Amino acid sequence: MSISHAHPLLLPLLVSLFLLPAVLGGDNFRTCNGSYENYSVNVKTVMISPNPVTRSSNADITITGFTAKIPNGAIVELTIAQAGAGDPKTSSTKTYNLCDLVRCPITPGRFSFTLSKIFSNEELKGRIYVITVGIKDEKDIMMCVVVLCWVTDDGTTSLIRQADTVMELQ
């Protein structure tokens, strides 16, 4: 097999185009079911700040997107699981009344909410977490996204490394 020398920059260009959205805060997440079409909330971005998260800080997670309608009484569920060999091990689950996070009733259109200080002090001692955020009511799941988050000692983990790890999840 021969390597073409006519396009020596093609591979770096393709790699950078694949990683750029995650580095810039775009598609650095995946939906829980792997399909963007089956939820009534169409998530566009999932941002964790600060990035990277350090052991001496905590993190906020902001989700933005669009929705047709979310019924009153919906809840947001945040699950944090420590990643390691095998399946992630759930560390904590928190629930929030969606109307405590955004103005209700929720009308069709642009949609955004932030969950603050998502990690416990014990979780900040960990290393890699799988974070799942969902919106649901008694009968339907309207949104569910998953993102990886690294917790570092001093903030030296690069955005490229975090983005690369998130892409490996997909």
Side-chain angles (χ1 to χ4, degrees), residues 40-158:
S40 60
V41 175
N42 183 1
V43 176
K44 293 297 182 190
T45 62
V46 176
M47 301 289 291
I48 296 176
S49 61
N51 190 355
V53 178
T54 65
R55 296 194 195 296
S56 61
S57 67
N58 207 318
D60 297 341
I61 187 166
T62 301
I63 296 175
T64 61
F66 297 90
T67 186
K69 184 174 181 190
I70 298 176
N72 289 337
I75 63 164
V76 175
E77 185 174 84
L78 168 72
T79 302
I80 298 176
Q82 190 160 10
D87 291 334
K89 181 181 174 187
T90 299
S91 174
S92 66
T93 301
K94 301 170 189 159
T95 58
Y96 307 84
N97 181 324
L98 183 60
C99 290
D100 291 341
L101 302 172
V102 298
R103 192 167 141 196
C104 288
I106 297 168
T107 58
R110 188 172 202 94
F111 180 75
S112 178
F113 67 92
T114 299
L115 303 175
S116 299
K117 298 182 180 179
I118 63 172
F119 292 112
S120 68
N121 289 337
E122 191 62 33
E123 288 166 337
L124 287 170
K125 296 176 186 175
R127 182 61 76 192
I128 306 170
Y129 289 96
V130 177
I131 300 171
T132 306
V133 181
I135 298 176
K136 60 185 181 178
D137 65 7
E138 293 147 4
K139 58 183 178 176
D140 291 322
I141 298 174
M142 288 149 268
M143 182 201 87
C144 187
V145 293
V146 178
V147 65
L148 264 186
C149 180
W150 285 72
V151 176
T152 66
D153 292 326
D154 59 5
T156 58
T157 299
S158 71

Side-chain angles (χ1 to χ4, degrees), residues 18-22 27-28 162-170:
F18 181 69
L19 292 176
L20 190 60
D27 295 329
N28 59 345
Q162 291 200 31
D164 185 40
T165 304
V166 171
M167 293 300 179
E168 290 169 8
L169 238 187
Q170 295 181 359

